[in-house]
Amino acid sequence: MLREHRLRAGLTQEGLAERAGVSTHAISTLESGKRQPRPSSVTRLATAFELDPAQREQLIAAARRGVGRSSDPAVRVDGEEALPVAAVVPRMLPFAAPDFTGRSGEVDHLVALAADQDGLPGGTVVISAIDGMAGVGKTTLAVQVCHALAERFPDGQLFVDLHGFTPGKTPLDPSAALAVLLRAVGVGDDRIPSTVEERAQSWRSELAYRRVLLVLDNAVDAAQVRPLIPAGRGSLVLVTSRRRMPALAGATALSLAVLGQDEAVELFTRIVGPERVAGHPQELAEIVTACGLLPLAIRIAAARLAHRPAWTPVHLLARLRRQHRPLTELSVQDQSVDAAFAMSYHALAPEQRRLFALAALHPGDAFTVDAFAALTDLPPADAEDLLDELHDHHLLTEHLPGRFTFHDLIRQFAVERLAEDVTEADREAASDRLLTWYLHTSAAASRVLNPSRRHVCLDSSEQAWRVLDFPGYDDALAWLETEGTNLLAAAAQATRTGRHEIGWKLPITMWDLFHSRSQFEGRVDCNESALVSARALGDLEATAWVLNILSGAYQAADRQAEAADCLLQALEIRSRLGDVHGQASCLINLGYVHIELGRAAEAVGMLERALGIFRDTGRRSGEAAAHTNLGEAHMRLGNLATALDHHREALTIHLEVSDQFRIGRERANLAEILCRLGRLDEAAEQATLAHAANRDSGNRLDEAIALNILGQVHAADGRRSLAEQNWRHAHAILTDLGSPRAAEVGARLGTPG
């Protein structure tokens, strides 16, 4: 208080000494906290500061604290008797790890909190709640920062392990923790009250005029922490916990993530020594990756290497890779990654533990509340509450709003718990629910995107799988694109686990996604896996379905010969089944492949045969598709007038049925033919209409194609600047979609790729 009043008054020690009539040495000694002043000195100092009555009483009360509690003899300072300070100054900080690495941003943040205290009201306590998953280095960071800040808190540094997640320990209740803290500041057992409320009051009173640094480590929740917060002037409290603490009022949250790759490598190197890892940069990078960049795992792996002189980084990496249970390798003496995770796991309620383990069944990288609800058979609201709880415990990560994922090592832990703590029947039922939910939801999106095409039949007798409702094209496509990798993983899991009905149908429902993202990674593998399921069922119709979509995947991958072979097989099956519509569909697709193979003349015969079938059976959508491909074939053959007629017929049909998806595409086809015919005004009109229709329907691929053609029309009309504007827009869309057509447009702009 003396130092704060002096600084607030803008006085040096010499200036205060002159004003108060107390020696400079005496003031220096009193500010150091080594001695307690005589009352007469306090009176002179209060007068020198011109304190108001309340401030004067606070200063006098602070000087009186502890008088009579010490048996130390009085000493004299500059001729004036001064009593020894009775208050204990605790120095309880644990050992700071000499190999502490990285965390510069977090360290700066915590140091800044301490620095900011000088501008806060005198009674303000600054609280920072440091949370993070087990083994991420919360305590190490807190201790490191506290050692750096210790000198700013001359009244003491306290550290209490609250045992919130300590193996074999019961969390320390607030009453016991307060007793520890009171003893640490010199309160004898005979003066420690019996109730938690009285102890909390005594604790706040003891720290009312002290500036301390308090670390409450390993807290279980905010309720455990609240009674321990002091009310002293300018104290800093750091709380560490595996749980987030939104209920701790006034606390600044700091969620600690795993280390960056470079920091992880540096930590490993500092522990084992640079000479042990020299010449092994690749192995070192893979070791820390296998440790999930988790500091505890890295420390354990490094310690194992450091204490095995015969080992090399290559040997350690091999051990990490070949372990049937990788977490068992990350254990040394009393430290274990598995045990650290287990404490977080057992802090959950039994049903929460079961549902956490079930989450390991999800085949993808990240999952939503709705997917988790289907997996666990919970209402979405309950599923969201549980995910929030797991997130608060740092057992799940939420990288994007509403999308949850595991840290790699926690996923391994969850897989082990799944095998040991959940029955096989529960596992199978959960997988059935999840995969069926993905199938039905993907099918719902597909029907919104392309209502006129043929869709697979799903078993409506299944329970309502809480299938998502897609209000429009954009919503359906956005869901498919966002969930695309999960859908691929779900389809693969269905085939792998013998759920072949889902295994072949799910890729069929993804056709519209594959069409809009023709280069979608994993498309070929997904459809080949679907073929395995269809053939495993011995279902000829399913096999024909899958061969048809697999041909599209091969076409997108520029494997035209394999695409043609798939369609010939599908055509043969449809013929055996007597499915004339199926045969016509195969012929349309086979005709298009022949066009791409440079055999447009052969394609015309196939396409006219398909057109005849669809005309005879009244399938107008089939007729339109045949006209579209015939228009493409005749354009390749140079029969532009005939091509124009076919595209006009196709557009007429699409307009009849209001198929907005295909109207935009067909207008783009017309624009291209009209441009080639030199009818530029008509071409510009159709291209403009095509662009608008495709943009409105969300068909980005054909929107880009329309822009490309519009650019060609403007270029032919001598408006190069306007042409390039359209091409740049088209190129951006095609590049974003990963379409090979981006190269064609880029060539027009002189842009590689």
Side-chain angles (χ1 to χ4, degrees), residues 90-112:
R91 312 288 185 189
M92 298 171 62
L93 293 180
F95 171 71
D99 50 28
F100 179 81
T101 303
R103 305 293 193 197
S104 58
E106 292 87 348
V107 170
D108 291 346
H109 169 76
L110 294 172
V111 169

Side-chain angles (χ1 to χ4, degrees), residues 223-508:
Q224 186 188 30
V225 168
R226 285 193 199 97
L228 314 182
I229 302 297
R233 50 186 178 87
S235 292
L236 175 65
V237 180
L238 300 183
V239 183
T240 74
S241 178
R242 296 186 190 182
R243 294 187 67 180
R244 291 176 171 83
M245 292 194 176
L248 188 58
T252 300
L254 174 61
S255 289
L256 210 56
V258 295
L259 294 172
Q261 180 77 15
D262 292 342
E263 291 177 334
V265 169
E266 181 183 352
L267 175 60
F268 190 94
T269 302
R270 292 184 68 177
I271 294 172
V272 303
E275 68 283 351
R276 290 294 302 276
V277 297
H280 296 284
Q282 183 61 37
E283 288 81 5
L284 189 52
E286 292 184 38
I287 287 170
V288 298
T289 298
C291 292
L293 306 178
L294 186 69
L296 175 61
I298 293 168
R299 287 184 177 278
I300 291 173
R304 289 175 66 81
L305 179 61
H307 291 84
R308 300 291 200 288
W311 287 16
T312 67
V314 175
H315 180 78
L316 174 62
L317 179 59
R319 292 182 65 93
L320 290 171
R321 283 174 171 170
R322 74 169 180 255
Q323 286 292 321
H324 176 62
R325 295 177 61 191
L327 291 179
T328 62
E329 187 66 22
L330 296 173
S331 175
V332 57
Q333 295 185 352
D334 64 339
Q335 288 190 313
S336 164
V337 172
D338 188 86
F341 292 163
M343 285 304 298
S344 295
Y345 176 69
H346 288 293
L348 301 172
E351 181 62 9
Q352 290 177 331
R353 294 199 292 268
R354 186 183 74 86
L355 297 174
F356 161 76
L358 283 178
L361 287 169
H362 191 279
D365 292 331
F367 50 87
T368 62
V369 171
D370 294 294
F372 186 70
L375 175 69
T376 55
D377 201 21
L378 290 173
D382 292 348
E384 186 171 23
D385 289 344
L386 176 58
L387 288 172
D388 286 343
E389 185 73 14
L390 297 176
H391 178 255
D392 284 348
H393 277 83
H394 286 278
L395 290 169
L396 287 176
T397 302
E398 189 179 18
H399 288 305
L400 293 172
R403 297 191 69 80
F404 297 86
T405 188
F406 288 102
H407 179 275
D408 288 346
L409 294 181
I410 291 185
R411 180 184 289 277
Q412 293 175 15
F413 174 79
V415 168
E416 293 178 7
R417 299 277 62 79
L418 180 68
E420 297 181 16
D421 299 349
V422 181
T423 66
E424 182 178 359
D426 276 356
R427 296 196 299 267
E428 290 298 308
S431 288
D432 285 342
R433 287 192 299 270
L434 178 66
L435 296 178
T436 303
W437 180 82
Y438 270 125
L439 172 62
H440 282 247
T441 307
S442 181
S446 177
R447 285 191 292 271
V448 170
L449 289 178
N450 202 339
S452 64
R453 81 170 175 88
R454 189 179 180 190
H455 295 274
V456 292
C457 295
L458 302 181
D459 186 355
S460 59
S461 66
E462 297 283 359
Q463 73 176 66
W465 294 101
R466 306 182 185 97
V467 175
L468 300 181
D469 179 32
F470 301 105
Y473 186 99
D474 290 345
D475 305 281
L477 183 59
W479 185 86
L480 281 171
E481 289 184 335
T482 302
E483 293 296 321
T485 55
N486 282 340
L487 293 171
L488 292 178
Q493 186 181 77
T495 297
R496 186 173 60 251
T497 58
R499 295 173 172 86
H500 294 303
E501 192 76 15
I502 297 173
W504 80 264
K505 286 183 176 179
L506 183 52
I508 300 291

Side-chain angles (χ1 to χ4, degrees), residues 700-701 703-704 707 728-739:
R700 298 186 70 211
L701 176 61
E703 178 187 359
L707 286 166
R728 279 192 294 271
H729 191 182
H731 187 262
I733 295 174
L734 293 169
T735 301
D736 183 52
L737 294 175
S739 171

Side-chain angles (χ1 to χ4, degrees), residues 546-623:
V546 175
L547 285 167
N548 212 339
I549 65 164
L550 179 56
S551 72
Y554 285 146
Q555 287 178 58
D558 199 25
R559 295 161 62 174
Q560 305 299 339
E562 291 167 278
D565 182 62
C566 284
L567 290 167
L568 288 170
Q569 292 182 57
L571 181 59
E572 191 273 332
I573 293 173
R574 295 294 184 188
S575 298
R576 286 169 57 189
L577 295 174
D579 180 359
V580 291
H581 288 156
Q583 293 174 55
S585 295
C586 289
L587 287 168
I588 286 176
N589 293 331
L590 190 59
Y592 185 82
V593 171
H594 276 68
I595 293 171
E596 292 298 302
L597 288 170
R599 303 172 186 168
E602 296 176 46
V604 168
M606 300 175 186
L607 295 168
E608 287 181 341
R609 179 181 165 196
L611 178 60
I613 293 173
F614 285 128
R615 276 177 175 165
D616 292 343
T617 57
R619 292 288 295 272
R620 296 288 278 166
S621 61
E623 283 186 62

Side-chain angles (χ1 to χ4, degrees), residues 110-328:
L110 294 172
V111 169
L113 284 178
D116 288 345
Q117 287 178 326
D118 294 336
L120 296 174
T124 300
V125 176
V126 175
I127 310 167
S128 180
I130 307 170
D131 58 72
M133 64 184 288
V136 81
K138 302 177 292 294
T139 302
T140 302
L141 171 65
V143 170
Q144 190 74 23
V145 169
C146 287
H147 276 283
L149 294 175
E151 292 185 0
R152 300 190 187 187
F153 300 90
D155 297 328
Q157 303 91 44
L158 300 104
F159 182 98
V160 179
D161 185 349
L162 298 177
H163 298 305
F165 301 90
T166 304
K169 296 271 191 178
T170 300
L172 202 63
D173 65 69
S175 181
L178 284 165
V180 171
L181 290 169
L182 287 168
R183 293 188 189 102
V185 296
V187 178
D189 286 348
D190 60 327
R191 296 181 54 245
I192 296 177
S194 58
T195 69
V196 65
E197 292 81 5
E198 291 174 326
R199 289 182 179 184
Q201 291 174 1
S202 178
W203 168 240
R204 290 192 290 271
S205 297
E206 287 294 328
L207 266 65
Y209 301 107
R210 302 194 201 194
R211 184 172 183 172
V212 300
L213 182 55
L214 172 62
V215 181
L216 301 174
D217 186 50
N218 199 12
V220 68
D221 55 26
Q224 186 188 30
V225 168
R226 285 193 199 97
L228 314 182
I229 302 297
R233 50 186 178 87
S235 292
L236 175 65
V237 180
L238 300 183
V239 183
T240 74
S241 178
R242 296 186 190 182
R243 294 187 67 180
R244 291 176 171 83
M245 292 194 176
L248 188 58
T252 300
L254 174 61
S255 289
L256 210 56
V258 295
L259 294 172
Q261 180 77 15
D262 292 342
E263 291 177 334
V265 169
E266 181 183 352
L267 175 60
F268 190 94
T269 302
R270 292 184 68 177
I271 294 172
V272 303
E275 68 283 351
R276 290 294 302 276
V277 297
H280 296 284
Q282 183 61 37
E283 288 81 5
L284 189 52
E286 292 184 38
I287 287 170
V288 298
T289 298
C291 292
L293 306 178
L294 186 69
L296 175 61
I298 293 168
R299 287 184 177 278
I300 291 173
R304 289 175 66 81
L305 179 61
H307 291 84
R308 300 291 200 288
W311 287 16
T312 67
V314 175
H315 180 78
L316 174 62
L317 179 59
R319 292 182 65 93
L320 290 171
R321 283 174 171 170
R322 74 169 180 255
Q323 286 292 321
H324 176 62
R325 295 177 61 191
L327 291 179
T328 62

